[in-house]
Amino acid sequence: MADTTFLLGGDLPVHRLAFGAMRLTGYGPATDPAESIRIARRAVELGVDFLDTADSYGLGANEELLAAALHPYPDGLVIGTKAGQCRPTAGEWIPLGRPEYLRQQVELNLRRLRLDRLDLFQLHRVDPQVPIDDQMGALRQLQQDGKIRHVGLSDVTVDQIEAARATVAVVSVQNRYHLADRGYEDVLTYCEREGIAFIPYLPIGGGRHPELAATLAEIAGDLGATPAQVALAWLLRRSPVTVPIPGTSSMAHLEENVAARDLQLEPEQYDRLSAVGALD
């Protein structure tokens, strides 16, 4: 199997194909909460043991939905959440990393998820208006207080990771990355060297890149798979530290995505995708 286990933070084993829960809700609560709950439960039934959410997904409703679907949580299930940006409107995402705000949001994360400690808390964005030492210092204190087990980051550069690590251990980085968008290649290389989980969000890409879309379709046909499955299989093979979090509000797409963990790319197929995907 292409899907193997990654030891998150050195003590939390998770399968490398995870689930991003963002699409289970909208700007507010889910329009069909029963179906969203059914999808969350099905993901766990299929062996997914790492779920990604955030306080800004559904303005807290996403975390509440996961708790409604899965609490009391099965042994071994890791729920990673995030805070550090606010959403005054559906289209606005504004970094907010003041220490008092981060402390408040972690308390709300815990309440909505019905947890005493967050296994993984990721700073959703580094706030350029607040010294990074202050932001990470707040998370270090929350970790010392037993509110957070492990700390991660999101949408960061290598320099920002190193600045954060001067204050607190960083076990994960969640950046946008897929076949047609490898702008954070240097971050992935850094994470691989340092043993940090690299969590690609929006991991299925390539459909808008004509040559890449054609190559994905051809290889998918040869393997009896879908282009989305091939894109995920490429990510799993790309590095042993990648933990893709494809998200969906469709049961069919969930099952299709999870099945990608069993897909094996031949070396020639992997190389072709790597070459064509890097053209831009």
Side-chain angles (χ1 to χ4, degrees):
M1 291 173 61
D3 178 41
T4 57
T5 298
F6 183 84
L7 201 59
L8 186 65
D11 61 358
L12 292 176
V14 295
H15 289 99
R16 288 180 50 227
L17 192 64
F19 177 68
M22 183 177 73
R23 294 183 184 177
L24 297 182
T25 52
Y27 179 57
T31 55
D32 187 349
E35 178 63 7
S36 291
I37 286 173
R38 198 166 73 92
I39 290 170
R41 289 174 175 168
R42 181 60 176 153
V44 174
E45 289 173 358
L46 291 170
V48 173
D49 54 10
F50 176 37
L51 307 180
D52 173 78
T53 183
D55 67 341
S56 53
Y57 298 165
L59 303 181
N62 201 272
E63 293 173 318
E64 291 172 343
L65 185 139
L66 290 180
L70 300 167
H71 192 273
Y73 301 113
D75 291 342
L77 180 65
V78 175
I79 297 181
T81 193
K82 301 181 289 295
Q85 60 179 356
C86 61
R87 294 184 70 185
T89 68
E92 291 180 283
W93 302 77
I94 300 175
L96 185 50
R98 294 197 305 271
E100 65 273 17
Y101 180 77
L102 295 176
R103 288 192 291 268
Q104 168 190 288
Q105 293 309 107
V106 165
E107 293 293 345
L108 291 173
N109 293 142
L110 290 165
R111 183 184 308 172
R112 288 189 290 253
L113 288 167
R114 307 180 202 173
L115 290 169
D116 297 321
R117 181 177 66 171
L118 302 171
D119 278 335
L120 176 65
F121 176 90
Q122 297 184 121
L123 183 64
H124 210 160
R125 293 293 186 277
V126 173
D127 187 343
Q129 305 302 318
V130 179
I132 193 168
D133 290 350
D134 292 350
Q135 297 173 72
M136 304 316 296
L139 301 186
R140 181 182 60 189
Q141 185 60 56
L142 286 160
Q143 191 177 52
Q144 292 171 348
D145 292 343
K147 305 288 186 178
I148 294 172
R149 185 171 186 169
H150 293 300
V151 172
L153 302 168
S154 180
D155 277 308
V156 286
T157 64
V158 170
D159 287 346
Q160 288 173 323
I161 300 170
E162 292 190 328
R165 294 180 77 193
T167 301
V168 67
V170 172
V171 307
S172 65
V173 170
Q174 182 171 319
N175 282 13
R176 176 172 172 164
Y177 185 90
H178 55 72
L179 255 172
D181 183 355
R182 303 187 214 166
Y184 285 112
E185 196 76 43
D186 61 331
V187 175
L188 172 53
T189 299
Y190 178 89
C191 288
E192 184 172 335
R193 185 177 73 242
E194 299 297 318
I196 296 171
F198 183 83
I199 304 172
Y201 71 83
L202 297 178
I204 299 172
R208 296 181 182 178
H209 184 308
E211 187 173 352
L212 179 55
T215 304
L216 278 167
E218 180 183 343
I219 292 174
D222 292 341
L223 295 173
T226 67
Q229 289 173 328
V230 173
L232 289 171
W234 180 86
L235 269 178
L236 290 171
R237 181 161 178 164
R238 170 64 186 82
S239 168
V241 304
T242 55
V243 184
I245 49 168
T248 182
S249 58
S250 161
M251 184 69 74
H253 287 162
L254 167 68
E255 295 178 347
E256 174 187 330
N257 291 341
V258 174
R261 66 189 178 193
D262 298 322
L263 191 63
Q264 290 283 355
L265 295 178
E266 295 295 331
E268 180 271 337
Q269 294 169 329
Y270 174 81
D271 291 342
R272 283 177 60 202
L273 288 167
S274 298
V276 72
L279 290 178
D280 289 341

